Amino acid sequence: MAGLPGCATPVREPAVPSGLHARATVLGVPNERFHPASGAAPLEAEFITTLTRHVARTGAPLDGPLPKIDMLAVSGGGENGAFGAGLLCGWTAQGTRPEFEVVTGISTGALTAPFAFLGPSYDPQLRAVYTELEPKQVLLPRSLTAALFDDAMADNSPLFATISKYLDQRMMADIARAYDEGRLLLIASTNLDAQQPVIWNVGAIAKSGHPKALDTVRRILLASAAIPGAFPPSMFDVTADGKQYQEMHVDGGAFAQTFLYPPSMTQQRQERLRKGQKVLPAEAYIIRNGRLDPEWTSVDRRTMGIASRAISTMITSAGYNDVVRIYATTVRDKVGYNLAFIGPDFDKTLSTPFEPSYMRALFDYGYQRALRGYDWAKKPPLV
């Protein structure tokens, strides 16, 4: 320790006090984000307002069939995001990919979601992100002393540069236009101070025209993919009750690896179903960027080996529980359920983080399965 006189821990501005997090704002845009743990009403109101614009845009007669809503949820999974990217591109080539009215993303799914939201015209960029990416475009390793003196074991500024390369003003304009048409792009991160999930309304931010909107959305994607301990958190300057504070955000996967909409959000839909009234027909597609079958390994009888295996087991279990939770919600709300995941027939292993050959192979695996006509699971395995 005496040999490390120059080391200093990172500093930050004061955190939002307890109980004020739901009132804190980044840009001052009223519907820029939602705090589902504090109540689903604001998010439900946003769904209703936005989808009302969608129905109006279709010109559907009030006494005729209502237009169908297609929703897409893209999970976390690090390098395994190549699976979802390949599936989406192969789905385009197969010719049956719908336009999604709602797209949600967490972690690597947050990086996929804007491309998926904007549709096939952005497939070349989506393909490039997951087949041409090299580790140096994601992270810069730090020394072992980072575990004691820094906020993560790696610097993710290269990932921010990569995000900024693709997410430009033209893409923001396209997202804003889609939002005007009645479509939602939602990205989740975790507010570590408040221990609360945050759902960011990217379309509303893009539409706001705020001079900091582009930078904010870039940092939202970076935050959602910031694996705690591995990557630094993203810091957001906010205002609450007229005072300045700073929030610390990390990977949305700290709360959930996949989300569609909060189960508490659809009381109005359930009431209409009970009364036999019309509701918007809806279909949900969930891309799980990971496996759902157990992966056997011989665990080394050492502290780090046991702890690492236990953590990976908890992550795997949480991912499975997410798709089961979404399934239960869609059954209750009479929403079609379609699940995609990496099957046991993909046997290539990852030898180093963000290994290009692994990601290209997994992209092709997802692409080929979609090109043949993806066999969507209508319920999670074992359910």
Side-chain angles (χ1 to χ4, degrees):
M1 296 293 289
L4 300 171
C7 294
T9 56
V11 297
R12 61 166 297 181
E13 299 301 319
V16 178
S18 176
L20 287 185
H21 69 276
R23 299 207 294 271
T25 179
V26 178
L27 301 179
V29 177
N31 57 343
E32 68 188 11
R33 60 184 187 168
F34 307 99
H35 304 84
S38 299
L43 182 56
E44 181 167 18
E46 181 69 10
F47 262 78
I48 292 171
T49 301
T50 306
L51 294 180
T52 297
R53 292 200 301 272
H54 165 70
V55 173
R57 180 173 63 91
T58 65
L62 295 178
D63 57 349
L66 293 174
K68 183 164 71 78
I69 300 298
D70 289 300
M71 298 179 285
L72 174 69
V74 191
S75 85
E79 301 90 346
N80 287 337
F83 167 71
L87 190 157
L88 287 163
C89 291
W91 199 356
T92 297
Q94 195 264 344
T96 60
R97 175 178 161 184
E99 178 181 78
F100 299 107
E101 281 69 48
V102 178
V103 175
T104 71
I106 286 180
S107 196
T108 193
L111 305 181
T112 300
F115 301 110
F117 180 69
L118 294 176
S121 64
Y122 277 84
D123 280 2
Q125 294 93 319
L126 178 60
R127 177 191 290 268
V129 168
Y130 285 98
T131 63
E132 299 176 11
L133 196 70
E134 297 182 4
K136 65 181 181 181
Q137 296 170 290
V138 178
L139 57 87
L140 292 173
R142 290 171 173 169
S143 68
L144 292 178
T145 59
L148 294 174
F149 299 106
D150 223 319
D151 55 3
M153 294 304 297
D155 178 358
N156 61 353
S157 57
L159 179 58
F160 184 77
T162 299
I163 291 170
S164 300
K165 172 184 173 183
Y166 291 99
L167 183 58
D168 55 14
Q169 288 289 4
R170 181 179 73 88
M171 193 173 188
M172 284 285 282
D174 289 342
I175 292 172
R177 191 175 304 112
Y179 178 72
D180 270 345
E181 294 173 354
R183 299 169 57 215
L184 284 172
L185 172 59
L186 305 173
I187 301 298
S189 66
T190 299
N191 181 334
L192 269 189
D193 299 312
Q195 287 191 321
Q196 298 282 344
V198 175
I199 297 177
W200 300 83
N201 191 359
V202 176
I205 295 172
K207 176 64 179 175
S208 72
H210 194 286
K212 294 183 179 179
L214 177 58
D215 179 68
T216 299
V217 173
R218 288 169 172 170
R219 291 190 298 116
I220 289 168
L221 301 188
L222 188 70
S224 186
I227 303 169
F231 291 153
S234 289
M235 309 303 296
F236 290 89
D237 294 328
V238 302
T239 302
D241 289 356
K243 295 182 179 180
Q244 301 296 314
Y245 301 102
Q246 196 173 60
E247 295 177 348
M248 179 183 291
H249 285 249
V250 298
D251 195 331
F255 260 92
Q257 294 177 35
T258 321
F259 78 103
L260 192 62
Y261 53 83
S264 60
M265 199 193 77
T266 55
Q267 292 182 3
Q268 186 178 102
R269 181 181 180 91
Q270 294 165 42
E271 183 65 25
R272 293 183 66 86
L273 286 169
R274 281 194 294 270
K275 293 179 179 179
Q277 298 174 334
K278 290 196 302 183
V279 296
L280 290 172
E283 202 75 16
Y285 297 89
I286 299 91
I287 296 178
R288 163 68 180 158
N289 285 312
R291 301 168 65 110
L292 291 178
D293 59 310
E295 293 185 80
W296 184 93
T297 189
S298 177
V299 181
D300 186 29
R301 192 174 177 179
R302 296 290 186 274
T303 300
M304 291 306 296
I306 294 169
S308 176
R309 181 63 171 175
I311 291 171
S312 69
T313 299
M314 286 189 288
I315 292 172
T316 299
S317 175
Y320 181 78
N321 290 338
D322 285 338
V323 298
V324 171
R325 169 180 48 81
I326 291 174
Y327 173 70
T329 302
T330 58
V331 169
R332 183 199 65 187
D333 293 342
K334 290 184 168 47
V335 172
Y337 181 89
N338 304 270
L339 173 66
F341 54 93
I342 301 172
D345 53 328
F346 183 77
D347 56 7
K348 188 173 179 60
T349 57
L350 182 69
S351 58
T352 59
F354 300 97
E355 181 185 0
S357 62
Y358 173 89
M359 294 175 68
R360 284 193 290 267
L362 187 53
F363 179 95
D364 188 62
Y365 169 80
Y367 185 94
Q368 293 300 329
R369 290 194 66 184
L371 187 62
R372 295 193 298 267
Y374 196 88
D375 185 19
W376 296 88
K378 298 304 178 181
K379 62 180 182 179
L382 307 180
V383 171

